[in-house]
């Protein structure tokens, strides 16, 4: 279990707050009432916030519009996604290679903007959270992987929180592909170190100056635990307090919601 002797006041020294979105600052289309006062306290402390989401189904532009419409002051510089960690890997280590993508039209457009060719005859398959998923997409992905295509995924989340429950996310779609092909993907996004290195490059800060806040133990909290960052679990999304008892991943702090922070 986590060390329960630490004081939340320690977090006032942090220079960067890495915030998950769904389940942390909003749920579905509902902004949590604690969110805007919390973001104002971050700014008043002299720190900044950066939204990092594993949900690659929407483009950065879409997230800017979504958050702005909720009243959250944000620019593209304040948002990173697991899609971007995947882009960086492909452009650096698989330059010029076409990709078969199981993803939303928003994600397809983002891949194309990055200069990544999309093809159903590719040697690389990328599976993501796809609310436009069809049997045909799954069949093509599985066929290519059986024929030897590299299997990648933007993020490992099994469920996406929505009002009233959850819907299947990227990890669940990958599990179906794995069941059919016997192959497991290389994941990007939280909790992998590529995320932390990208944030350090993006902000010029060291990971010791950062704190990550989120509602999932195996992604949000794990990225902190694995990579030398403090983490705060909020109980406003996927994880319930009783889940901590059996988890090998433990946050530095647990709060009911973001309204408990920087008080």
């Amino acid at each position: 279990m986590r060390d329960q002797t630490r004081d939340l006041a320690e977090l006032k020294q942090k220079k960067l707050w890495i915030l998950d979105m769904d389940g942390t600052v909003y749920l579905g289309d509902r902004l949590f009432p604690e969110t805007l006062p919390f973001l104002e306290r971050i700014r008043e402390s002299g720190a900044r916030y950066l939204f990092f989401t594993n949900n690659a189904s929407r483009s950065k532009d879409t997230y800017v519009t979504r958050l702005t419409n909720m009243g959250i002051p944000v620019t593209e510089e304040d948002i990173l996604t697991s899609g971007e960690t995947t882009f960086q890997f492909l452009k650096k280590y698989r330059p010029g290679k076409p990709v078969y993508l199981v993803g939303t039209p928003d994600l397809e457009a983002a891949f194309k903007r990055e200069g990544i060719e999309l093809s159903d005859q590719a040697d690389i398959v990328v599976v993501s959270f796809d609310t436009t998923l069809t049997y045909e997409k799954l069949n093509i992905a599985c066929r290519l992987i059986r024929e030897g295509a590299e299997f990648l995924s933007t993020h490992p989340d099994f469920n996406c929180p929505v009002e009233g429950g959850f819907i299947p996310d990227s990890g669940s779609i990958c599990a179906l592909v794995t069941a059919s092909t016997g192959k497991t993907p290389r994941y990007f996004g939280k909790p992998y170190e590529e995320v932390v290195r990208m944030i350090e490059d993006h902000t010029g800060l060291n990971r010791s100056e950062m704190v990550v806040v989120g509602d999932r133990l195996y992604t949000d909290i794990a990225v902190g635990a694995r990579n030398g960052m403090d983490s705060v679990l909020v109980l406003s999304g996927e994880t319930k307090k009783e889940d901590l008892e059996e988890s090998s991943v433990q946050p530095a702090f647990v709060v009911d919601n973001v309204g408990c922070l920087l008080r």
Side-chain angles (χ1 to χ4, degrees):
M1 290 293 288
R2 65 191 178 87
D3 177 5
Q4 301 185 42
T5 64
R6 297 186 62 187
D7 191 321
L8 281 170
E10 296 176 36
L11 298 177
K12 293 181 179 180
Q13 307 304 314
K14 298 297 181 181
K15 295 182 179 179
L16 180 69
W17 291 73
I18 303 166
L19 307 177
D20 181 49
M21 295 193 210
D22 219 339
T24 300
V25 298
Y26 60 75
L27 189 62
D29 293 322
R30 179 172 63 89
L31 182 70
F32 292 137
E34 303 86 5
T35 296
L36 294 181
F38 167 58
L39 297 179
E40 180 61 27
R41 291 195 296 275
I42 291 177
R43 292 192 295 271
E44 289 175 350
S45 75
R48 63 170 290 194
Y49 51 79
L50 176 73
F51 292 103
F52 190 102
T53 180
N54 268 4
N55 186 344
S57 66
R58 299 184 178 100
S59 68
K60 185 179 286 194
D61 289 343
T62 301
Y63 277 121
V64 169
T65 301
R66 180 178 177 82
L67 292 174
T68 300
N69 288 343
M70 288 182 172
I72 296 175
V74 68
T75 69
E76 286 195 9
E77 286 296 303
D78 302 318
I79 299 173
L80 292 174
T81 73
S82 66
E84 290 177 83
T85 57
T86 311
F87 301 153
Q88 286 197 357
F89 174 84
L90 290 170
K91 290 164 71 174
K92 183 174 182 178
Y93 296 105
R94 307 290 187 270
K97 290 199 170 185
V99 167
Y100 181 70
L101 175 64
V102 178
T104 60
D106 242 13
L107 188 59
E108 290 177 355
F111 266 67
K112 290 175 182 177
R113 281 196 300 272
E114 294 293 325
I116 298 170
E117 179 187 351
L118 300 183
S119 169
D120 60 4
Q121 299 297 321
D123 291 330
I124 301 170
V125 173
V126 176
V127 174
S128 188
F129 178 31
D130 187 2
T131 53
T132 62
L133 185 65
T134 64
Y135 188 84
E136 182 182 11
K137 286 184 180 182
L138 286 170
N139 188 37
I140 293 171
C142 290
R143 174 178 58 79
L144 292 173
I145 291 167
R146 286 192 207 98
E147 292 173 354
E150 185 176 15
F151 183 12
L152 307 177
S153 175
T154 55
H155 61 291
D157 303 45
F158 286 108
N159 293 303
C160 178
V162 295
E163 288 281 5
F166 305 96
I167 57 176
D169 205 325
S170 173
S172 296
I173 299 171
C174 286
L176 190 158
V177 175
T178 295
S180 177
T181 65
K183 304 296 183 181
T184 55
R186 175 175 178 173
Y187 286 110
F188 297 90
K190 296 176 287 189
Y192 302 101
E193 191 179 10
E194 287 92 344
V195 169
V196 183
R197 290 199 297 264
M198 184 169 70
I199 292 173
E200 287 178 323
D201 290 344
H202 184 73
T203 63
L205 296 171
N206 184 277
R207 63 191 68 186
S208 64
E209 301 173 290
M210 305 173 185
V211 56
V212 60
V213 182
D215 67 304
R216 285 189 177 98
L217 286 167
Y218 61 95
T219 55
D220 303 318
I221 304 308
V223 76
R226 289 185 181 187
N227 298 292
M229 295 188 297
D230 277 332
S231 59
V232 180
L233 174 70
V234 291
L235 301 175
S236 51
E238 179 175 309
T239 302
K240 306 306 176 189
K241 203 164 190 176
E242 52 268 27
D243 296 333
L244 287 164
E245 297 297 328
E246 302 299 325
S247 176
S248 60
V249 177
Q250 293 292 318
F253 305 96
V254 179
V255 296
D256 288 335
N257 54 61
V258 294
C260 302
L261 299 170
L262 291 177
R263 305 299 304 197

